[in-house]
Amino acid sequence: MELRQLEYFCAVSSLESFTKAANFLHVSQPSVTKTVQALETELDLELIDRSQKHICLTEAGSVFLLHAKKIMQDIQAARLAMNRFQSQS
């Protein structure tokens, strides 16, 4: 599992669109789609229901999103903590 996969999954989930997530992340839509599909393959679970016009998280996707958001928050907190060390030098 890669940080980029979590970042893309969180963006797609919050924006409810692969295209909007791609625009937000400044990457191509196919890149976002492939990255999320790779995450689903790795987990051997469908996280996003693509059967409707707009995307919707599956039950597994909703649970995974909670964990992904927590990981992203922890990474941000770690970056902020390390920035304090940089400002001390």
Side-chain angles (χ1 to χ4, degrees), residues 2 5 11 13-16 22 24 27 30 32 40 43 51 54 57 59 61 66-69 71 75 80 84 89:
E2 299 175 11
Q5 291 173 318
S13 299
S14 67
L15 298 170
E16 298 181 343
F24 174 77
V27 296
V32 173
E40 290 176 313
L43 295 172
S51 64
H54 76 283
L57 295 180
E59 184 178 355
L66 297 174
H67 293 283
K69 283 183 176 181
I71 292 166
I75 289 169
L80 291 173
R84 282 186 238 127
S89 9

Side-chain angles (χ1 to χ4, degrees), residues 9 45-47 57-65:
F9 174 71
L45 289 168
E46 184 178 272
L47 301 174
L57 295 180
T58 62
E59 184 178 355
S62 294
V63 171
F64 187 76
L65 180 60

Side-chain angles (χ1 to χ4, degrees), residues 7 19 31 39 43 50-51 57 59-60 69 73 79 86:
E7 180 182 20
T19 302
S31 175
L39 177 62
L43 295 172
R50 298 167 178 85
S51 64
L57 295 180
E59 184 178 355
K69 283 183 176 181
Q73 289 169 350
R79 285 182 180 148
Q86 288 176 338

Side-chain angles (χ1 to χ4, degrees), residues 8 18-19 21-23 25-35:
Y8 287 17
F18 285 91
T19 302
N23 289 335
L25 296 164
H26 305 288
V27 296
S28 69
Q29 181 270 323
S31 175
V32 173
T33 300
K34 288 177 186 174
T35 300

